[in-house]
Amino acid sequence: MASVNTILLFNFIANNFIIRNFLKSLNQYCENDKGNRLEICLELYTGVRKNSCIKCKMYYKMVKYFIKIASISFGAKEEEIKERFKDRYWRRGLASVIKGIALFGVTKPFTPGAPFQIVWNITRRCNLKCKHCYEDAGKNDFELNTKDAKRVIDILSRAGVVILAFSGGEPLIREDIYELINYASKKGIYTAIATNGTLLTKKNVERLKNAGLGFVQISLDGLKEFHEEFRGVKGIYEKILEGIKNCVEAGLFTEIATTVTKMNLNQIPKIIELADKLKVNWVMLYNFVPVGRGKAILEVDLEPEEREELLRYAFEETNKRKNIEILSTAPQYARVALQCVGEGIIPTHFYNPNLKGRLKSLAEFIGGCGAGRFYLALEPNGDIYPCVFFPRSNKYRIGNILEDDFESLWINNDILKELRNKDILKGSCGTCNYRYYCGGCRARAVGYFNDHLAPDPGCINNKRYWEELKSKIFVKTVT
């Protein structure tokens, strides 16, 4: 019942004006101690930090008292709590949750005080020619230099971002990528990288680990013949497999990412078997989104029935297997899981930490599509978008991280506000009983309807929209 008690507590806090104002002040940045005040208090509490300014010490006394009361209320041992918050990512995550409650209240789904994750397309340069590339990579466009990139990391750290994922293009092409990963790690940000895997030699993997990298995502869309054809370059398959092995052997949390289309749907079981054999941690089944070069191959997208069957298969497989989890960026995954078992494992679009025994209220709290709510995307020049799969248009450009006030954009931007409000979605998505768990993929809504509030045509509940699209768009694409 701890999950229910926690959410009831959050609701009490959200409805108490005095407490919310206190939490806002608690989550301010301390210039003296160079950090979020709540994080500093937790550092003092766990013994990670030995001293602080007078104001932070005053806050610490109140936080310590609150933790003691909370541990009694929830039946948790104070020593266990103290041990948990020695992890800097837990401290930062809690600070973001508390800040979110102070700023936005307890919304359904929840919006933290800063993006939990930033996906940064650090470069458009790439050594492959993938047919579906959202970034239309390969161009040597303007990208921030090392000094400005570090300024970006400073801004993200100050805002309280928990995870920074470097993507591209191919991020390992940037000569300073190891320096940037190390810089972000030292700032207390959990670092990840999304790579095509061709450059993951033993030497490079060792450099990544030494830099502080915690997570690596490697693209693999099928077995040798298909993957090389889909990614546009021959002779890369063995390099990628070797790269996966190098990451696993180095002890990095390793994920295989697969964009699922009609072309490779029948290879998904083989990819999962291969991933299990290679001892990776996760397989992530990515939605196909019609953006970038993907707009030229609309006909490969899955039918709603095919996606539904795929998600049910993924859910069954992740329950059967002991050493690997199968997730999906399709936010319908949570709805499928709930319909399968009610209150068993509840995967979410953002994260699936094997939620056995948790209640549906927790999945509703975390929510489905996180575009503009749990994460944001950065372009090589610092432009901000709600998601990497949104088109690079003025309509969806939120601002620029080096030119605008990042924290103000997060709180006040109208597009972000609309993306967080699942009650204003159009079509079946807006009336669906699972809209807080799912909400449909907003990038797919934009890709097909140029409207971030439109229905996600990939869902079985939106089949009529899919049929209309097939008759209007797909026929033109094929011919």
Side-chain angles (χ1 to χ4, degrees), residues 426-464:
K426 299 173 183 178
S428 301
C429 284
T431 58
C432 180
N433 291 333
Y434 294 94
R435 63 188 179 278
Y436 303 135
Y437 307 97
C438 170
C441 176
R442 297 297 93 214
R444 285 175 53 81
V446 173
Y448 281 116
F449 298 109
N450 193 30
D451 181 355
H452 56 288
L453 300 178
D456 176 355
C459 179
I460 195 73
N461 296 327
N462 290 326
K463 187 177 177 182
R464 71 181 181 90

Side-chain angles (χ1 to χ4, degrees), residues 48-192:
V48 173
R49 177 188 287 265
K50 300 301 180 185
N51 206 353
S52 70
C53 71
I54 295 174
K55 196 168 184 178
C56 284
K57 284 179 180 177
M58 290 172 59
Y59 277 107
Y60 166 58
K61 290 180 180 180
M62 291 182 276
V63 169
K64 186 178 180 181
Y65 175 75
F66 179 80
I67 291 173
K68 188 173 183 178
I69 296 299
S71 66
I72 294 170
S73 301
F74 300 141
K77 294 180 180 178
E78 202 170 346
E79 284 305 312
E80 291 176 356
I81 296 174
K82 189 174 290 188
E83 190 63 32
R84 174 60 68 189
F85 285 111
K86 284 182 179 178
D87 186 318
R88 60 182 178 173
Y89 307 123
W90 272 82
R91 294 195 298 270
R92 178 159 289 203
L94 176 66
S96 187
V97 169
I98 297 297
K99 187 177 179 181
I101 293 171
L103 291 172
F104 309 113
V106 180
T107 57
K108 293 192 302 184
F110 183 68
T111 302
F116 256 74
Q117 179 173 339
I118 295 287
V119 179
W120 189 359
N121 297 323
I122 195 78
T123 181
R124 279 203 181 93
R125 289 178 286 162
C126 191
N127 56 345
L128 300 186
K129 303 171 185 177
C130 308
K131 290 184 176 181
H132 64 310
C133 181
Y134 63 77
E135 191 73 347
D136 196 9
K139 303 172 183 177
N140 191 9
D141 289 353
F142 174 79
E143 57 190 50
L144 300 179
N145 60 31
T146 304
K147 182 179 178 181
D148 284 339
K150 287 182 176 180
R151 283 177 57 208
V152 170
I153 293 169
D154 288 339
I155 293 168
L156 299 180
S157 176
R158 183 180 179 117
V161 170
V162 181
I163 303 167
L164 177 58
F166 293 94
S167 187
E170 173 48 55
L172 287 173
I173 285 179
R174 273 195 67 137
E175 296 79 4
D176 60 355
I177 189 64
Y178 307 98
E179 183 179 351
L180 296 178
I181 289 170
N182 185 248
Y183 189 77
S185 296
K186 287 181 177 179
K187 289 283 181 177
I189 302 175
Y190 183 85
T191 54

